[in-house]
Amino acid sequence: MVLAECGTHAVFAAATGPCTVAETVLADTLLPHLQPGMLLLADRNFPGYDRWKAAAATGADLLWRVKSDVVLVVREQYADGSYLSEIYAARDKRRVHGRLVRVVEYTVAGHEEAGPIRLITTILDPEQAPAAELAALYHERWEVEGVLDEIKVHQRGPDVVLRSRYPDGVEQEVYGFLLVHHAVRQVMHQAADRAGTDPDRLSFTRSLRVVRRQVPAQAAFSP
């Protein structure tokens, strides 16, 4: 489980565990890495009252998708189409200890039959973050799939498996891959910054090849 920046694809926190551990459990261990000024995007498998409360307590803003069966009563309607509502813990049967959230509902053109997508956010002021902007921004969450593709397919290579037969060795190798990826992405960020362009416009595969050619001849390359 990783926390990664959408723009740079840099992984800045990660957690590992056996396949018997749910991804939500690993996600909970990453929440302390959040801080004010961040906006955390998450899909509909992650929302939960306690997890939401813990993530919001870090000072970071949240924008998470919720499942279609979650009851979100309209408390106040806003001009941009979003509305104020509350979420409750499953144990709160009387629904008296809710947390305020703002809800953004929309459909994706060409996929209307799939029904509306519903997002909840800690940003309660529509003027600070209009509903249309949040709806467009949420889909940047899929950038993390590109991050995992870079690490598992292009960096590690096809048909390559972890070599260690022991948990400690496997964990060490996983973090080795993560550190190398972070180093390559740091180089790409520096190059994009100098060129005045978006890091998304640079090819990870080409950058990886450049780094691999340079490392043997330049021992000073640092992660």
Side-chain angles (χ1 to χ4, degrees):
M1 179 65 59
V2 301
L3 290 176
E5 295 179 347
C6 290
T8 66
H9 282 201
V11 175
F12 64 91
T16 61
C19 60
T20 53
V21 175
E23 62 179 3
T24 51
V25 174
L26 291 179
D28 289 338
T29 68
L30 295 178
L31 298 181
H33 294 279
L34 301 174
Q35 56 186 272
M38 293 181 177
L39 175 64
L40 177 64
L41 310 178
D43 70 21
R44 56 189 166 186
N45 290 324
F46 292 96
Y49 181 87
D50 293 331
R51 187 170 300 110
W52 180 271
K53 182 179 178 180
T58 66
D61 287 312
L62 312 178
L63 180 64
W64 297 4
R65 185 177 178 180
V66 294
K67 295 181 179 179
S68 58
D69 59 353
V70 175
V71 177
L72 296 169
V73 178
V74 179
R75 301 299 186 192
E76 182 179 351
Q77 187 78 47
Y78 296 121
D80 68 348
S82 63
Y83 59 90
L84 198 65
S85 188
E86 291 176 296
I87 59 172
Y88 301 87
R91 60 184 176 274
D92 186 5
K93 303 301 182 181
R94 296 185 178 182
R95 298 172 72 87
V96 294
H97 300 292
R99 293 184 66 89
L100 284 176
V101 296
R102 184 163 147 247
V103 184
V104 176
E105 292 188 2
Y106 62 97
T107 56
V108 177
H111 299 275
E112 290 83 0
E113 71 285 351
I117 292 174
R118 294 195 300 169
L119 310 177
I120 57 174
T121 180
T122 54
I123 306 175
L124 304 182
D125 184 359
E127 294 186 1
Q128 182 183 356
E133 291 185 8
L134 291 178
L137 181 60
Y138 170 72
H139 292 270
E140 291 291 312
R141 192 202 70 77
W142 293 100
E143 290 287 325
V144 74
E145 302 299 336
V147 173
L148 299 178
D149 175 76
E150 291 168 358
I151 296 172
K152 295 194 294 183
V153 177
H154 302 290
Q155 179 182 316
R156 187 184 63 178
D159 302 322
V160 176
V161 297
L162 299 173
R163 294 169 293 177
S164 179
R165 296 178 181 271
Y166 302 96
D168 288 348
V170 169
E171 186 174 34
Q172 183 180 39
E173 194 168 357
V174 168
Y175 277 101
F177 280 116
L178 290 171
L179 287 171
V180 170
H181 179 267
H182 195 281
V184 174
R185 273 292 170 183
Q186 174 70 11
V187 171
M188 293 175 65
H189 173 70
Q190 293 174 346
D193 188 54
R194 292 178 183 176
T197 189
D198 190 328
D200 278 346
R201 297 186 63 82
L202 302 185
S203 167
F204 177 81
T205 304
R206 290 186 178 182
S207 300
L208 182 63
R209 290 171 183 166
V210 170
V211 169
R212 282 175 170 164
R213 289 198 299 266
Q214 293 296 319
V215 168
Q218 189 174 343
F221 176 77
S222 170

